[in-house]
Amino acid sequence: MSVYLLRRLLQAVAVVFAMSLIVFVGVYAIGDPVEILISPDADQLERERAIAALGLDLPLWEQYFVFLARAMQGDLGRSFVFNEPALRLILQRMPATLELAFGATIMALIIGLPLGLYAGLRPHSPLSRAIMAGSILGFSLPTFWVGLMLIMVFAVQLGWLPSTGRGPTRELLGLQWSFLTWEGMRHMLMPAINLSLFKISLVIRLTRAGVRETILQDYVKFARAKGLRPARVVGVHVFKNILIPVVTVVGLELGSTIAFSVVTESVFAWPGMGKLIIDSINVLDRPVIVAYLMIIVLMFITINLVVDLTYSVLDPRVRLEAKGT
């Protein structure tokens, strides 16, 4: 276990260094924030002072090494717009994005697993056909359009739910969370539904495909031949064995949900990292953009490691040592 973890940590460090170079060069090669941040009426001397203050007067390679040296100390730069540490700005918005992403993922599992299990066990029933048709809609409908329709129906027409914002929050572990208050949960419901639709469809199809494959295996036939109750056959021999691909995809999709919650946060004015990155892109706030992308990279690496470790819990046949070879 320790050898495997050490190897994965070394791989993670190499990936972070490589991504830091790609992200830094990619972001700093696009646009000129000076044209946005400095008044057009400023004279040449004022422009030069502002450029030097932002550190943009250095060559690109030197800017990167300055960024790398500071990043190793936990400093990802200061926002050009807010004049605050970029990392602090992102961490302030992170709880909003995390609770939205985890809420959408939990919703996808709670809804998708039972529906996919039923569709796999009874593939020819009318309800199963309706479930699979609904999953196609979940894949096909654009997120921004679904979000607007949810606002139109449940906020404007029916008045059941608030349309935008995060609502009141409550502190837990030094961070502010919406799900700890009833009004915050009401604000969170529509964005979480909107963000979870694609994941629900994905979980339904993965679960159905896994069930259809697993029920044909010899160990399932043997369990039925022994006279085990159908519920036990499904719960122990079928359901547990289909969880590995589901956990893999849902784990990776969790990272994607966090990274690409931009559309949902923009539609519902949810004050998370996605809305912050859109605002930063509009004004070319490079330190915030780079810090956001680096944090997303670290999240993906961490999630992948957690998914790999979960394998051994769900299926003892999957050995960590084998993955390291």
Side-chain angles (χ1 to χ4, degrees):
M1 174 71 78
S2 58
V3 174
Y4 172 74
L5 288 176
L6 180 61
R7 185 180 292 113
R8 288 302 301 269
L9 288 175
L10 291 176
Q11 293 174 353
V13 171
V15 170
V16 169
F17 272 107
M19 288 304 301
S20 69
L21 179 60
I22 295 171
V23 167
F24 190 89
V25 173
V27 171
Y28 277 69
I30 299 174
D32 185 4
V34 174
E35 299 298 329
I36 298 177
L37 299 174
I38 300 177
S39 171
D41 299 329
D43 57 29
Q44 187 62 29
L45 182 59
E46 291 176 339
R47 290 176 63 86
E48 291 177 357
R49 287 176 180 172
I51 291 172
L54 296 175
L56 301 177
D57 57 331
L58 301 174
L60 183 60
W61 65 268
E62 192 171 345
Q63 291 184 47
Y64 173 70
F65 282 113
V66 170
F67 162 77
L68 202 59
R70 292 177 177 174
M72 291 180 179
Q73 302 172 5
D75 180 8
L76 296 178
R78 296 184 71 86
S79 168
F80 293 162
V81 176
F82 298 98
N83 195 28
E84 292 184 30
L87 186 59
R88 181 194 301 170
L89 284 172
I90 294 172
L91 292 180
Q92 288 173 353
R93 305 290 189 99
M94 186 179 290
T97 297
L98 288 180
E99 67 178 352
L100 190 60
F102 277 103
T105 302
I106 292 172
M107 191 176 297
L109 291 174
I110 291 175
I111 297 174
L113 283 174
L115 293 182
L117 196 62
Y118 180 86
L121 294 173
R122 301 178 180 272
H124 303 296
S125 69
L127 181 56
S128 294
R129 297 180 187 276
I131 290 172
M132 299 311 296
S135 69
I136 296 175
L137 288 178
F139 281 124
S140 306
L141 295 177
T143 304
F144 71 89
W145 183 83
V146 174
L148 293 175
M149 292 300 102
L150 289 174
I151 291 174
M152 182 67 68
V153 174
F154 294 102
V156 177
Q157 299 291 338
L158 300 176
W160 290 353
L161 297 170
S163 59
T164 58
R166 193 181 177 195
T169 60
R170 185 170 296 173
E171 185 174 342
L172 176 65
L173 302 176
L175 300 173
Q176 298 295 325
W177 303 95
S178 296
F179 71 90
L180 297 176
T181 66
W182 172 249
E183 191 63 26
M185 287 288 290
R186 294 181 69 246
H187 279 79
M188 183 179 168
L189 185 58
M190 279 200 299
I193 292 174
N194 187 46
L195 197 59
S196 69
L197 285 180
F198 179 86
K199 279 71 183 175
I200 292 173
S201 301
L202 188 62
V203 172
I204 288 174
R205 289 191 165 269
L206 282 173
T207 305
R208 181 189 182 278
V211 170
R212 297 305 302 160
E213 180 181 355
T214 304
I215 59 176
L216 300 177
Q217 299 298 317
D218 290 338
Y219 57 83
V220 175
K221 296 178 181 178
F222 183 71
R224 287 174 171 169
K226 287 199 306 182
L228 295 180
R229 291 181 294 108
R232 181 171 178 80
V233 172
V234 172
V236 176
H237 298 279
V238 175
F239 185 70
K240 186 176 179 180
N241 285 283
I242 67 173
L243 281 182
I244 291 180
V246 173
V247 166
T248 304
V249 175
V250 170
L252 297 176
E253 281 294 318
L254 176 60
S256 301
T257 304
I258 296 172
F260 304 115
S261 61
V262 176
V263 175
T264 297
E265 292 186 5
S266 299
V267 170
F268 292 94
W270 187 264
M273 296 190 300
K275 192 170 187 305
L276 175 65
I277 193 63
I278 288 295
D279 296 338
S280 300
I281 290 172
N282 289 333
V283 295
L284 286 179
D285 196 349
R286 290 175 175 174
V288 175
I289 299 172
V290 172
Y292 170 82
L293 294 175
M294 292 305 302
I295 289 176
I296 293 300
V297 169
L298 290 174
M299 283 186 176
F300 268 101
I301 292 172
T302 303
I303 290 171
N304 284 339
L305 179 60
V306 171
V307 169
D308 285 347
L309 294 176
T310 307
Y311 282 163
S312 61
V313 177
L314 294 177
D315 190 351
R317 295 171 300 176
V318 180
R319 299 300 178 187
L320 297 179
E321 291 81 5
K323 287 184 173 292
T325 58

